[in-house]
């Protein structure tokens, strides 16, 4: 097996063509719907994306072996899919690394005429992980990471609140990340294929392992990887000004320490789960761990965090349709009767997800890497 930091093909970031809306629930019908609507994705493309969710930097030969394809075929197909903006590999700090910093959710209300401009401005801010335009209770919903509480205060009070058109800002500090979006998977591979790919991926650190804070060179490497998590080591070395061997060692150490999360993202409309719904709820302190464990097992849940405020649990879910939101709430009520849903919202558009600005169908458009340290670098 090659080292995790082995050379791999880079993927381009060309503008996305017109594509489809909602996809059916299973991968085969999702692929058929995607082809009929002109995206050009089929079951093999979805399988490649699923493989890269498991082993994002695996050599093409390894991916091809798992899927019964040649390395050349896999690389060619991935280049086409990635160039269309329908799937891509990125690198960010891991949930474990973010836990060392200050995470928060910020709700923003805007004057209607300024809403789009505010959303784009905040999406390009390196402190935002995600930016969503929502229907229900707030105009924008931000997921934010900063170095510490003072940095969060500066972001909320000096940056967000001062933007033209902003009329109200509400902040909830995250105290624990229970489920992260990097855990979400397409269901396009067999058990044997998944096992082979897991063997090719980086070893998962033991539960509870806390990575050390990143050094300056570590941060530069992470930010260089953000636009394309499959950049070859040679190109990484050139872009960061380090030697090939030093870059390889640093990349391998960061990955194995659990500080960096490599993730294959997919345009939401081709997954069969085209609707994002947000839930704010309250769990009694004595039952919170048990309730969160139950909620984390729901297949719709992509993000689950514990936070400050009257609603001490926030869920981000992907659904088959908008009316599935009611069904989900009913199921939550049945399985977790002590959990009280206080508010909910449907996402109209995801403007930014994990360091990428997206179009209205969730295809990548512009890299805006997550950088909680940018204030420190600017000084």
């Amino acid at each position: 097996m090659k080292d995790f930091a082995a050379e791999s093909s880079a993927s381009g970031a060309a503008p996305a063509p017109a594509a489809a809306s909602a996809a059916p629930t299973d991968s085969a019908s999702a692929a058929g719907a995607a082809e009929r609507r002109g995206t050009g994705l089929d079951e093999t493309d979805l399988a490649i994306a699923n493989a890269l969710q498991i082993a994002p930097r695996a050599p093409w030969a390894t991916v091809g072996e798992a899927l019964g394809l040649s390395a050349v075929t896999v690389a060619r197909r991935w280049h086409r899919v990635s160039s269309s903006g329908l799937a891509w590999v990125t690198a960010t700090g891991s949930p474990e690394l973010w836990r060392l910093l200050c995470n928060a959710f910020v709700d923003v209300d805007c004057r209607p005429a300024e809403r789009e401009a505010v959303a784009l401005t905040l999406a390009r801010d390196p402190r935002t992980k995600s930016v969503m335009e929502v229907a229900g209770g707030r105009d924008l919903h931000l997921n934010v990471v900063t170095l510490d509480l003072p940095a969060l205060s500066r972001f909320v009070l000096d940056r967000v609140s001062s933007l033209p058109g902003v009329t109200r800002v509400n902040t909830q500090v995250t105290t624990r990340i229970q489920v992260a979006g990097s855990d979400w998977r397409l269901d396009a591979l067999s058990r044997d294929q998944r096992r082979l790919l897991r063997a090719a991926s980086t070893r998962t650190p033991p539960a509870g392992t806390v990575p050390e804070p990143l050094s300056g060179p570590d941060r530069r490497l992470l930010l260089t990887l953000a636009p394309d998590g499959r950049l070859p080591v040679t190109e990484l070395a050139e872009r960061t000004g380090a030697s090939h061997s030093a870059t390889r060692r640093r990349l391998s150490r960061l990955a194995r320490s659990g500080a960096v999360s490599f993730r294959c993202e997919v345009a939401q409309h081709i997954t069969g789960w085209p609707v994002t719904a947000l839930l704010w709820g309250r769990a009694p302190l004595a039952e919170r761990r048990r309730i969160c464990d139950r909620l984390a097992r729901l297949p719709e849940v992509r993000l689950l965090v514990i936070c400050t405020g009257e609603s001490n649990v926030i869920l981000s879910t992907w659904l088959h349709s908008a009316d599935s939101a009611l069904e989900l709430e009913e199921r939550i009520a049945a399985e977790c009767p002590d959990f009280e849903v206080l508010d909910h919202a449907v996402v109209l558009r995801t403007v930014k997800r994990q360091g990428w600005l997206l179009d209205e169908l969730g295809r990548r458009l512009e890299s805006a890497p997550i950088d909680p340290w940018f204030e420190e670098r600017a000084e």
Side-chain angles (χ1 to χ4, degrees), residues 9 11 22 25 36 48 61 71 78 111 116 129 158 174 182 184 192 200 210-211 214 220 228 260 271 273 295 335 358:
S9 299
S11 56
T25 57
R36 286 193 302 272
I48 293 171
W78 175 252
R111 291 193 294 268
E116 182 177 358
K129 292 192 282 185
D158 300 337
T174 302
S182 55
W184 191 89
D192 288 343
V210 178
L214 299 188
R220 285 195 293 275
D228 182 358
V260 175
T271 65
W273 307 76
L295 293 173
E335 296 187 17
L358 309 178

Side-chain angles (χ1 to χ4, degrees), residues 20-46 184 186-188 266-274 320:
S21 55
T25 57
D26 61 84
S27 59
S29 56
E35 285 189 304
R36 286 193 302 272
R37 292 176 172 87
T39 65
L41 263 64
D42 58 20
E43 290 181 66
T44 301
D45 296 325
L46 291 174
W184 191 89
L186 290 163
D187 187 18
V266 182
Q268 188 176 355
H269 78 285
I270 66 170
T271 65
W273 307 76
H320 297 313

Side-chain angles (χ1 to χ4, degrees), residues 90-103 129 145 177 179-183 202 204-205 209-214 222 253-263 303 354 370 372-373:
T90 187
T92 72
S94 68
E96 290 73 26
L97 179 65
W98 293 154
R99 288 186 185 109
L100 301 178
L101 307 178
C102 182
N103 296 266
K129 292 192 282 185
V145 59
I177 302 170
V179 176
S182 55
D183 299 326
T202 183
T204 303
T209 300
V210 178
E212 295 182 1
L214 299 188
L222 178 59
R253 176 179 57 78
L254 286 177
R256 295 182 189 282
S257 73
V260 175
S261 176
F262 290 91
R263 51 197 287 175
L303 179 69
Q354 289 300 315
I370 304 164
W373 308 277

Side-chain angles (χ1 to χ4, degrees), residues 204-257:
T204 303
T209 300
V210 178
E212 295 182 1
L214 299 188
S215 66
D218 291 339
R219 299 172 196 170
R220 285 195 293 275
L221 186 63
L222 178 59
L223 291 174
T224 304
L225 278 164
D228 182 358
R230 288 187 61 86
L231 277 176
V233 172
T234 300
E235 191 166 347
L236 283 171
E238 291 176 355
R239 294 188 184 188
T240 58
S243 70
H244 184 281
S245 58
T247 301
R248 179 183 292 277
R249 288 195 301 270
R250 186 177 301 279
L251 178 60
S252 182
R253 176 179 57 78
L254 286 177
R256 295 182 189 282
S257 73

Side-chain angles (χ1 to χ4, degrees), residues 114-143:
E114 305 287 348
R115 178 170 171 161
E116 182 177 358
V118 171
L120 285 174
T121 297
L122 292 174
R124 292 188 173 112
D125 191 293
R127 290 162 289 193
T128 59
K129 292 192 282 185
S130 66
V131 176
M132 303 175 181
E133 295 186 46
V134 301
R138 68 277 297 151
D139 290 327
L140 305 177
H141 180 69
L142 319 178
N143 190 352

Side-chain angles (χ1 to χ4, degrees), residues 108-115 118 139 162-168:
V108 181
D109 283 343
C110 315
R111 291 193 294 268
E114 305 287 348
R115 178 170 171 161
V118 171
D139 290 327
S162 65
L163 288 175
V166 170
T167 59
R168 186 185 71 90

Side-chain angles (χ1 to χ4, degrees), residues 8 10 13 43 50 60 86 164 189 291 302 330 378:
S8 58
E43 290 181 66
N50 195 174
W60 292 131
L86 291 167
L189 299 176
I291 289 172
R302 271 183 59 96
E330 290 173 344

